[in-house]
Amino acid sequence: MQLYPAIDMKNGQCVRLRQGAFQDITVYSDTPEKVALHWQEQGAAFLHLVDLDGALAGRSVNEPVIRRIAETVSIPIQIGGGIRSREAVSHMLSLGIRRVIIGTKAVENPEFLKELAEEFGSEAIVAGIDARDGLVAIQGWEKTSSVKALDLALTMKEYGIRHIVYTDISRDGMLAGPNVEATSLMTRETGLDIIASGGVSSMEDLEHLYQEGIQGAIIGKALYENRIDLKEAAARFQKRPESNTD
């Protein structure tokens, strides 16, 4: 299982929200690049970045910070938040980002992700599916669509997408445990690399995801509040990057 320490960026800072509420925010660091380096030193093999300002603005807002993180660490990075055009995807990849997460446009124009996967490769494009009560939320979680999360995931599979970040908004930032049942169902029904996001609060949560065969887990608040030791979690659950194997 791949572990993804999360760095959520707002106003150039590393922050966490509760249930995606922009008024319920905790600032953890003014230097996100130092946070990124710390997670790498603790055993992270992949980073998960979110441009929270970008998610609302519909364009990249925290690019200076993103650049500094990419220049600071040597491990691959995936990023989401406000990336809604081909040009924005191309630009992020040019900064050294490995994967770009598309959320809102995946709902509004699913064919857009098919075109991106064909142009940039299925490894570079991730569908971000953020669900509230099983329905997909869009535009920085400010609106809820009528599209079912599993239906969208199956469409993404049909369109050549291999990776999906699945977030249960009700669990995000709450340390209430991930929605293992829904994430496991999506993994079984699609056969894709489903990355669980939202609510991971303990080693037990990671164990449950691991036992269900879920391919990835994003860890945010639990790391920042020392509920999960990343070095221990990486040693216990994380697959080794191919470059590090004999």
Side-chain angles (χ1 to χ4, degrees), residues 9 33 44 50 65 74 87 93 107 125 142 155 188 229 243:
M9 299 167 292
E33 65 272 20
V50 181
V65 178
S74 58
E87 291 74 21
L93 296 176
V107 181
I125 306 301
E142 295 293 298
T155 298
R188 293 195 308 271
D229 181 285
S243 59

Side-chain angles (χ1 to χ4, degrees), residues 126-152:
V126 181
I129 299 181
D130 306 329
R132 182 183 285 116
D133 299 325
L135 297 177
V136 180
I138 58 175
Q139 296 179 13
W141 300 353
E142 295 293 298
K143 297 182 179 180
T144 302
S145 73
S146 59
V147 179
K148 292 182 179 179
L150 181 57
D151 289 346
L152 180 58

